[in-house]
mmCIF file of all heavy atoms in Angstrom:
data_model
loop_
_atom_site.group_PDB
_atom_site.id
_atom_site.type_symbol
_atom_site.label_atom_id
_atom_site.label_comp_id
_atom_site.label_asym_id
_atom_site.label_seq_id
_atom_site.Cartn_x
_atom_site.Cartn_y
_atom_site.Cartn_z
ATOM 1 N N ALA A 35 0.636 0.207 2.512
ATOM 2 C CA ALA A 35 -0.517 1.061 2.239
ATOM 3 C C ALA A 35 -0.094 2.496 1.954
ATOM 4 O O ALA A 35 -0.659 3.153 1.062
ATOM 5 C CB ALA A 35 -1.490 1.022 3.418
ATOM 6 N N THR A 36 0.887 3.019 2.686
ATOM 7 C CA THR A 36 1.345 4.383 2.411
ATOM 8 C C THR A 36 2.125 4.443 1.098
ATOM 9 O O THR A 36 2.027 5.421 0.358
ATOM 10 C CB THR A 36 2.196 4.933 3.569
ATOM 11 O OG1 THR A 36 3.304 4.061 3.838
ATOM 12 C CG2 THR A 36 1.348 5.084 4.824
ATOM 13 N N GLU A 37 2.876 3.396 0.799
ATOM 14 C CA GLU A 37 3.556 3.341 -0.500
ATOM 15 C C GLU A 37 2.540 3.377 -1.646
ATOM 16 O O GLU A 37 2.712 4.104 -2.637
ATOM 17 C CB GLU A 37 4.401 2.070 -0.616
ATOM 18 C CG GLU A 37 5.664 2.056 0.212
ATOM 19 C CD GLU A 37 6.353 0.699 0.179
ATOM 20 O OE1 GLU A 37 5.735 -0.292 -0.266
ATOM 21 O OE2 GLU A 37 7.518 0.628 0.610
ATOM 22 N N ALA A 38 1.494 2.580 -1.501
ATOM 23 C CA ALA A 38 0.470 2.517 -2.542
ATOM 24 C C ALA A 38 -0.186 3.880 -2.750
ATOM 25 O O ALA A 38 -0.388 4.323 -3.888
ATOM 26 C CB ALA A 38 -0.583 1.466 -2.181
ATOM 27 N N ALA A 39 -0.523 4.548 -1.642
ATOM 28 C CA ALA A 39 -1.159 5.857 -1.753
ATOM 29 C C ALA A 39 -0.233 6.870 -2.422
ATOM 30 O O ALA A 39 -0.671 7.661 -3.269
ATOM 31 C CB ALA A 39 -1.569 6.343 -0.370
ATOM 32 N N ALA A 40 1.041 6.836 -2.049
ATOM 33 C CA ALA A 40 1.995 7.775 -2.640
ATOM 34 C C ALA A 40 2.168 7.518 -4.135
ATOM 35 O O ALA A 40 2.172 8.456 -4.952
ATOM 36 C CB ALA A 40 3.336 7.674 -1.915
ATOM 37 N N ILE A 41 2.314 6.254 -4.510
ATOM 38 C CA ILE A 41 2.527 5.923 -5.925
ATOM 39 C C ILE A 41 1.314 6.311 -6.774
ATOM 40 O O ILE A 41 1.448 6.886 -7.855
ATOM 41 C CB ILE A 41 2.832 4.421 -6.082
ATOM 42 C CG1 ILE A 41 4.218 4.104 -5.500
ATOM 43 C CG2 ILE A 41 2.767 3.999 -7.547
ATOM 44 C CD1 ILE A 41 4.516 2.616 -5.401
ATOM 45 N N ARG A 42 0.121 5.995 -6.280
ATOM 46 C CA ARG A 42 -1.080 6.266 -7.076
ATOM 47 C C ARG A 42 -1.350 7.770 -7.203
ATOM 48 O O ARG A 42 -1.997 8.207 -8.163
ATOM 49 C CB ARG A 42 -2.279 5.573 -6.449
ATOM 50 C CG ARG A 42 -2.191 4.054 -6.445
ATOM 51 C CD ARG A 42 -2.180 3.454 -7.827
ATOM 52 N NE ARG A 42 -3.420 3.719 -8.567
ATOM 53 C CZ ARG A 42 -3.692 3.233 -9.765
ATOM 54 N NH1 ARG A 42 -2.814 2.455 -10.376
ATOM 55 N NH2 ARG A 42 -4.819 3.521 -10.364
ATOM 56 N N SER A 43 -0.872 8.559 -6.228
ATOM 57 C CA SER A 43 -1.085 10.013 -6.315
ATOM 58 C C SER A 43 -0.006 10.704 -7.137
ATOM 59 O O SER A 43 -0.201 11.840 -7.594
ATOM 60 C CB SER A 43 -1.117 10.624 -4.910
ATOM 61 O OG SER A 43 0.135 10.481 -4.259
ATOM 62 N N ALA A 44 1.130 10.037 -7.346
ATOM 63 C CA ALA A 44 2.271 10.675 -8.005
ATOM 64 C C ALA A 44 1.976 11.235 -9.393
ATOM 65 O O ALA A 44 2.495 12.301 -9.746
ATOM 66 C CB ALA A 44 3.448 9.696 -8.058
ATOM 67 N N PRO A 45 1.153 10.574 -10.235
ATOM 68 C CA PRO A 45 0.885 11.157 -11.555
ATOM 69 C C PRO A 45 0.207 12.527 -11.497
ATOM 70 O O PRO A 45 0.206 13.257 -12.496
ATOM 71 C CB PRO A 45 -0.029 10.116 -12.215
ATOM 72 C CG PRO A 45 0.315 8.833 -11.543
ATOM 73 C CD PRO A 45 0.587 9.215 -10.120
ATOM 74 N N TYR A 46 -0.363 12.884 -10.345
ATOM 75 C CA TYR A 46 -1.072 14.149 -10.214
ATOM 76 C C TYR A 46 -0.214 15.260 -9.625
ATOM 77 O O TYR A 46 -0.695 16.383 -9.433
ATOM 78 C CB TYR A 46 -2.327 13.949 -9.360
ATOM 79 C CG TYR A 46 -3.281 12.933 -9.954
ATOM 80 C CD1 TYR A 46 -3.247 11.602 -9.549
ATOM 81 C CD2 TYR A 46 -4.189 13.308 -10.941
ATOM 82 C CE1 TYR A 46 -4.103 10.666 -10.110
ATOM 83 C CE2 TYR A 46 -5.053 12.379 -11.508
ATOM 84 C CZ TYR A 46 -5.001 11.058 -11.086
ATOM 85 O OH TYR A 46 -5.837 10.138 -11.656
ATOM 86 N N ILE A 47 1.050 14.960 -9.329
ATOM 87 C CA ILE A 47 1.934 15.979 -8.773
ATOM 88 C C ILE A 47 2.091 17.122 -9.774
ATOM 89 O O ILE A 47 2.435 16.910 -10.937
ATOM 90 C CB ILE A 47 3.320 15.382 -8.427
ATOM 91 C CG1 ILE A 47 3.188 14.374 -7.277
ATOM 92 C CG2 ILE A 47 4.307 16.487 -8.041
ATOM 93 C CD1 ILE A 47 4.465 13.595 -7.007
ATOM 94 N N GLY A 48 1.812 18.336 -9.314
ATOM 95 C CA GLY A 48 1.961 19.518 -10.152
ATOM 96 C C GLY A 48 0.863 19.722 -11.172
ATOM 97 O O GLY A 48 0.957 20.618 -12.016
ATOM 98 N N ARG A 49 -0.214 18.931 -11.096
ATOM 99 C CA ARG A 49 -1.282 19.017 -12.096
ATOM 100 C C ARG A 49 -2.439 19.924 -11.670
ATOM 101 O O ARG A 49 -3.410 20.091 -12.410
ATOM 102 C CB ARG A 49 -1.820 17.623 -12.406
ATOM 103 C CG ARG A 49 -0.767 16.685 -12.972
ATOM 104 C CD ARG A 49 -0.422 17.045 -14.399
ATOM 105 N NE ARG A 49 0.785 16.359 -14.863
ATOM 106 C CZ ARG A 49 1.208 16.359 -16.111
ATOM 107 N NH1 ARG A 49 0.518 17.011 -17.031
ATOM 108 N NH2 ARG A 49 2.303 15.737 -16.455
ATOM 109 N N GLY A 50 -2.352 20.484 -10.451
ATOM 110 C CA GLY A 50 -3.325 21.471 -10.023
ATOM 111 C C GLY A 50 -4.648 20.940 -9.530
ATOM 112 O O GLY A 50 -5.551 21.730 -9.230
ATOM 113 N N ASP A 51 -4.798 19.644 -9.418
ATOM 114 C CA ASP A 51 -6.078 19.062 -8.997
ATOM 115 C C ASP A 51 -5.854 18.245 -7.726
ATOM 116 O O ASP A 51 -5.574 17.048 -7.775
ATOM 117 C CB ASP A 51 -6.640 18.186 -10.112
ATOM 118 C CG ASP A 51 -8.072 17.729 -9.837
ATOM 119 O OD1 ASP A 51 -8.512 17.809 -8.670
ATOM 120 O OD2 ASP A 51 -8.740 17.278 -10.782
ATOM 121 N N LYS A 52 -5.988 18.897 -6.574
ATOM 122 C CA LYS A 52 -5.689 18.215 -5.313
ATOM 123 C C LYS A 52 -6.704 17.121 -5.002
ATOM 124 O O LYS A 52 -6.357 16.102 -4.396
ATOM 125 C CB LYS A 52 -5.614 19.212 -4.154
ATOM 126 C CG LYS A 52 -6.911 19.860 -3.740
ATOM 127 C CD LYS A 52 -6.691 20.744 -2.510
ATOM 128 C CE LYS A 52 -8.004 21.271 -1.968
ATOM 129 N NZ LYS A 52 -7.793 22.089 -0.743
ATOM 130 N N ASN A 53 -7.953 17.284 -5.424
ATOM 131 C CA ASN A 53 -8.954 16.256 -5.140
ATOM 132 C C ASN A 53 -8.716 14.989 -5.953
ATOM 133 O O ASN A 53 -8.964 13.878 -5.480
ATOM 134 C CB ASN A 53 -10.359 16.799 -5.385
ATOM 135 C CG ASN A 53 -10.832 17.709 -4.271
ATOM 136 O OD1 ASN A 53 -10.331 17.642 -3.146
ATOM 137 N ND2 ASN A 53 -11.779 18.576 -4.574
ATOM 138 N N ALA A 54 -8.221 15.137 -7.185
ATOM 139 C CA ALA A 54 -7.905 13.960 -7.985
ATOM 140 C C ALA A 54 -6.744 13.194 -7.358
ATOM 141 O O ALA A 54 -6.771 11.958 -7.273
ATOM 142 C CB ALA A 54 -7.558 14.371 -9.412
ATOM 143 N N ALA A 55 -5.728 13.924 -6.901
ATOM 144 C CA ALA A 55 -4.591 13.286 -6.236
ATOM 145 C C ALA A 55 -5.036 12.588 -4.965
ATOM 146 O O ALA A 55 -4.668 11.440 -4.693
ATOM 147 C CB ALA A 55 -3.514 14.329 -5.928
ATOM 148 N N ASP A 56 -5.870 13.279 -4.194
ATOM 149 C CA ASP A 56 -6.341 12.728 -2.929
ATOM 150 C C ASP A 56 -7.222 11.510 -3.157
ATOM 151 O O ASP A 56 -7.117 10.498 -2.455
ATOM 152 C CB ASP A 56 -7.114 13.808 -2.175
ATOM 153 C CG ASP A 56 -7.077 13.605 -0.668
ATOM 154 O OD1 ASP A 56 -6.127 12.967 -0.170
ATOM 155 O OD2 ASP A 56 -7.993 14.097 0.008
ATOM 156 N N GLY A 57 -8.086 11.578 -4.150
ATOM 157 C CA GLY A 57 -8.964 10.452 -4.434
ATOM 158 C C GLY A 57 -8.190 9.207 -4.823
ATOM 159 O O GLY A 57 -8.518 8.098 -4.388
ATOM 160 N N ALA A 58 -7.154 9.379 -5.642
ATOM 161 C CA ALA A 58 -6.329 8.235 -6.031
ATOM 162 C C ALA A 58 -5.619 7.647 -4.822
ATOM 163 O O ALA A 58 -5.513 6.415 -4.674
ATOM 164 C CB ALA A 58 -5.308 8.672 -7.083
ATOM 165 N N ALA A 59 -5.123 8.511 -3.934
ATOM 166 C CA ALA A 59 -4.420 8.038 -2.736
ATOM 167 C C ALA A 59 -5.369 7.315 -1.788
ATOM 168 O O ALA A 59 -5.030 6.269 -1.218
ATOM 169 C CB ALA A 59 -3.748 9.212 -2.036
ATOM 170 N N VAL A 60 -6.560 7.867 -1.594
ATOM 171 C CA VAL A 60 -7.541 7.243 -0.701
ATOM 172 C C VAL A 60 -7.911 5.849 -1.195
ATOM 173 O O VAL A 60 -7.940 4.878 -0.425
ATOM 174 C CB VAL A 60 -8.809 8.119 -0.582
ATOM 175 C CG1 VAL A 60 -9.930 7.358 0.114
ATOM 176 C CG2 VAL A 60 -8.507 9.396 0.180
ATOM 177 N N ASP A 61 -8.213 5.735 -2.480
ATOM 178 C CA ASP A 61 -8.605 4.434 -3.038
ATOM 179 C C ASP A 61 -7.500 3.393 -2.845
ATOM 180 O O ASP A 61 -7.773 2.240 -2.488
ATOM 181 C CB ASP A 61 -8.925 4.573 -4.528
ATOM 182 C CG ASP A 61 -10.222 5.321 -4.780
ATOM 183 O OD1 ASP A 61 -11.012 5.477 -3.829
ATOM 184 O OD2 ASP A 61 -10.444 5.758 -5.931
ATOM 185 N N ALA A 62 -6.256 3.806 -3.090
ATOM 186 C CA ALA A 62 -5.145 2.868 -2.951
ATOM 187 C C ALA A 62 -4.923 2.470 -1.501
ATOM 188 O O ALA A 62 -4.714 1.294 -1.186
ATOM 189 C CB ALA A 62 -3.873 3.488 -3.526
ATOM 190 N N MET A 63 -4.998 3.456 -0.597
ATOM 191 C CA MET A 63 -4.770 3.146 0.809
ATOM 192 C C MET A 63 -5.861 2.232 1.354
ATOM 193 O O MET A 63 -5.591 1.266 2.072
ATOM 194 C CB MET A 63 -4.684 4.432 1.639
ATOM 195 C CG MET A 63 -4.421 4.175 3.113
ATOM 196 S SD MET A 63 -4.124 5.676 4.077
ATOM 197 C CE MET A 63 -2.431 6.034 3.635
ATOM 198 N N ARG A 64 -7.109 2.527 1.004
ATOM 199 C CA ARG A 64 -8.214 1.692 1.485
ATOM 200 C C ARG A 64 -8.052 0.245 1.004
ATOM 201 O O ARG A 64 -8.257 -0.707 1.754
ATOM 202 C CB ARG A 64 -9.551 2.263 1.021
ATOM 203 C CG ARG A 64 -10.742 1.396 1.451
ATOM 204 C CD ARG A 64 -12.053 1.964 0.962
ATOM 205 N NE ARG A 64 -12.504 3.066 1.787
ATOM 206 C CZ ARG A 64 -12.694 4.302 1.352
ATOM 207 N NH1 ARG A 64 -12.433 4.604 0.083
ATOM 208 N NH2 ARG A 64 -13.138 5.235 2.158
ATOM 209 N N LYS A 65 -7.667 0.089 -0.258
ATOM 210 C CA LYS A 65 -7.517 -1.254 -0.822
ATOM 211 C C LYS A 65 -6.437 -2.046 -0.079
ATOM 212 O O LYS A 65 -6.631 -3.211 0.276
ATOM 213 C CB LYS A 65 -7.163 -1.152 -2.304
ATOM 214 C CG LYS A 65 -7.045 -2.503 -3.009
ATOM 215 C CD LYS A 65 -6.682 -2.323 -4.477
ATOM 216 C CE LYS A 65 -7.789 -1.631 -5.228
ATOM 217 N NZ LYS A 65 -7.498 -1.528 -6.688
ATOM 218 N N PHE A 66 -5.299 -1.412 0.187
ATOM 219 C CA PHE A 66 -4.218 -2.127 0.854
ATOM 220 C C PHE A 66 -4.499 -2.346 2.333
ATOM 221 O O PHE A 66 -4.124 -3.384 2.889
ATOM 222 C CB PHE A 66 -2.890 -1.392 0.644
ATOM 223 C CG PHE A 66 -2.185 -1.802 -0.617
ATOM 224 C CD1 PHE A 66 -2.575 -1.287 -1.840
ATOM 225 C CD2 PHE A 66 -1.167 -2.744 -0.599
ATOM 226 C CE1 PHE A 66 -1.961 -1.677 -3.016
ATOM 227 C CE2 PHE A 66 -0.545 -3.139 -1.764
ATOM 228 C CZ PHE A 66 -0.939 -2.605 -2.985
ATOM 229 N N LEU A 67 -5.147 -1.396 2.986
ATOM 230 C CA LEU A 67 -5.492 -1.603 4.393
ATOM 231 C C LEU A 67 -6.429 -2.794 4.551
ATOM 232 O O LEU A 67 -6.407 -3.477 5.580
ATOM 233 C CB LEU A 67 -6.140 -0.347 4.975
ATOM 234 C CG LEU A 67 -5.201 0.806 5.329
ATOM 235 C CD1 LEU A 67 -6.003 2.020 5.792
ATOM 236 C CD2 LEU A 67 -4.199 0.396 6.403
ATOM 237 N N GLY A 68 -7.239 -3.062 3.545
ATOM 238 C CA GLY A 68 -8.148 -4.200 3.606
ATOM 239 C C GLY A 68 -7.448 -5.545 3.637
ATOM 240 O O GLY A 68 -8.064 -6.554 3.978
ATOM 241 N N THR A 69 -6.158 -5.578 3.304
ATOM 242 C CA THR A 69 -5.401 -6.835 3.315
ATOM 243 C C THR A 69 -4.575 -7.028 4.580
ATOM 244 O O THR A 69 -3.952 -8.073 4.762
ATOM 245 C CB THR A 69 -4.438 -6.888 2.111
ATOM 246 O OG1 THR A 69 -3.368 -5.941 2.295
ATOM 247 C CG2 THR A 69 -5.164 -6.587 0.814
ATOM 248 N N VAL A 70 -4.561 -6.028 5.466
ATOM 249 C CA VAL A 70 -3.711 -6.082 6.662
ATOM 250 C C VAL A 70 -4.406 -6.862 7.767
ATOM 251 O O VAL A 70 -5.603 -6.654 8.041
ATOM 252 C CB VAL A 70 -3.366 -4.658 7.141
ATOM 253 C CG1 VAL A 70 -2.541 -4.712 8.432
ATOM 254 C CG2 VAL A 70 -2.598 -3.904 6.063
ATOM 255 N N ASN A 71 -3.682 -7.753 8.420
ATOM 256 C CA ASN A 71 -4.248 -8.565 9.499
ATOM 257 C C ASN A 71 -4.338 -7.767 10.799
ATOM 258 O O ASN A 71 -3.499 -7.862 11.677
ATOM 259 C CB ASN A 71 -3.408 -9.830 9.713
ATOM 260 C CG ASN A 71 -3.708 -10.881 8.666
ATOM 261 O OD1 ASN A 71 -4.848 -11.056 8.240
ATOM 262 N ND2 ASN A 71 -2.676 -11.585 8.231
ATOM 263 N N PHE A 72 -5.373 -6.943 10.874
ATOM 264 C CA PHE A 72 -5.696 -6.248 12.111
ATOM 265 C C PHE A 72 -7.153 -5.834 12.037
ATOM 266 O O PHE A 72 -7.795 -5.904 10.979
ATOM 267 C CB PHE A 72 -4.758 -5.075 12.382
ATOM 268 C CG PHE A 72 -4.986 -3.840 11.547
ATOM 269 C CD1 PHE A 72 -4.828 -2.581 12.110
ATOM 270 C CD2 PHE A 72 -5.314 -3.892 10.201
ATOM 271 C CE1 PHE A 72 -5.005 -1.423 11.363
ATOM 272 C CE2 PHE A 72 -5.486 -2.748 9.441
ATOM 273 C CZ PHE A 72 -5.335 -1.511 10.034
ATOM 274 N N THR A 73 -7.688 -5.436 13.168
ATOM 275 C CA THR A 73 -9.051 -4.930 13.232
ATOM 276 C C THR A 73 -8.944 -3.444 13.526
ATOM 277 O O THR A 73 -8.829 -3.026 14.667
ATOM 278 C CB THR A 73 -9.865 -5.642 14.326
ATOM 279 O OG1 THR A 73 -9.818 -7.055 14.092
ATOM 280 C CG2 THR A 73 -11.304 -5.170 14.326
#
Side-chain angles (χ1 to χ4, degrees):
T36 56
E37 287 173 346
I41 290 171
R42 296 296 297 184
S43 64
Y46 300 95
I47 293 172
R49 299 287 167 171
D51 189 343
K52 69 176 187 178
N53 283 338
D56 207 25
V60 169
D61 289 345
M63 181 173 282
R64 178 181 281 119
K65 183 180 295 184
F66 272 80
L67 283 176
T69 70
V70 177
N71 282 323
F72 75 143
T73 305

